[in-house]
């Protein structure tokens, strides 16, 4: 027998799930574009961030890479959807759904530049030489995007850090 809504004893409002979008951009040599944050762990990440109200995940990914790198991109495909049930330490946002898209540059002649106070530097990195500090979740999203298969779906646990 299936449980009915409310059978768990919870009678409050439905949970609000935050969304985020990130872009995996690879160059002709197979290197991935990463940005380094100027806050927190000063870690390397895929360009991306949280959705604005009313914004779809693909729109978020496009806006965030533009804000962080100055690049205009076109989405090629969805590479992963990841559910994070708990807020990250120091955050009150959660649960979260993270969407990752492989993108291509609208103008291949343009070079990325740090375009936000949140981004201290950026660079193209080979998959076998990713920089640190970086979380296992970021590495997982990069590997899933590079694999070229069907979109990955998964749960995000507490992050483990390299570097």
């Amino acid at each position: 027998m299936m449980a009915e809504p409310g059978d768990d004893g919870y009678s409050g409002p439905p949970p609000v799930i935050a969304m985020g979008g990130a872009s995996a951009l690879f160059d002709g040599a197979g290197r991935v574009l990463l940005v380094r944050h100027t806050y927190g762990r000063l870690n390397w990440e895929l360009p991306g961030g949280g959705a604005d109200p009313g914004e779809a995940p693909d729109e978020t990914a496009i806006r965030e890479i533009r804000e962080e790198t100055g690049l205009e991109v076109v989405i090629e495909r969805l590479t992963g959807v990841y559910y994070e049930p708990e807020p990250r330490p120091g955050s009150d946002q959660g649960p979260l759904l993270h969407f990752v898209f492989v993108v291509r540059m609208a103008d291949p002649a343009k070079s990325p530049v740090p375009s936000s106070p949140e981004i201290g530097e950026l660079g193209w990195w080979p998959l076998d030489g990713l920089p640190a500090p970086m979380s296992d979740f970021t590495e997982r999203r990069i590997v899933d995007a590079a694999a070229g298969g069907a979109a990955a779906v998964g749960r995000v646990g507490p992050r483990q850090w390299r570097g």
Side-chain angles (χ1 to χ4, degrees), residues 4 15-16 33-34 37-39 47 53 58 67 71 85 126 141 144:
E4 293 296 320
V16 174
L33 179 66
L34 299 174
H37 291 154
T38 58
Y39 58 88
D58 60 325
E67 289 176 359
L71 295 176
R141 293 179 295 157
D144 290 345

Side-chain angles (χ1 to χ4, degrees), residues 3-157:
E4 293 296 320
D7 281 353
D8 60 1
Y10 180 76
S11 62
V16 174
I17 297 178
M19 288 190 304
S23 295
L25 176 61
F26 297 92
D27 69 4
R31 299 174 304 171
V32 64
L33 179 66
L34 299 174
V35 297
R36 187 168 191 178
H37 291 154
T38 58
Y39 58 88
R41 293 181 180 261
L42 306 177
N43 58 298
W44 289 92
E45 268 291 350
L46 291 170
D52 287 341
E55 190 174 53
D58 60 325
E59 295 166 334
T60 301
I62 290 168
R63 175 183 53 77
E64 286 285 343
I65 196 170
R66 180 185 331 108
E67 289 176 359
E68 295 179 359
T69 71
L71 295 176
E72 294 293 335
V73 298
V74 176
I75 289 183
E76 292 191 335
R77 63 186 176 85
L78 175 70
T79 64
V81 179
Y82 308 90
Y83 175 66
E84 188 169 15
E86 301 295 329
R88 286 175 281 179
S91 173
D92 59 357
Q93 264 195 336
L96 288 148
L97 278 176
H98 301 266
F99 293 81
V100 181
F101 302 90
V102 165
V103 300
R104 63 178 166 79
M105 290 191 288
D107 180 357
K110 190 163 182 187
S111 295
V113 295
S115 301
S116 163
E118 297 176 351
I119 306 304
E121 60 183 306
L122 54 74
W124 297 97
W125 295 89
L127 299 183
D128 62 357
L130 296 174
M134 181 179 286
S135 74
D136 59 336
F137 177 49
T138 297
E139 290 178 355
R140 176 180 174 189
R141 293 179 295 157
I142 293 167
V143 168
D144 290 345
V153 177
R155 178 180 290 261
V156 179

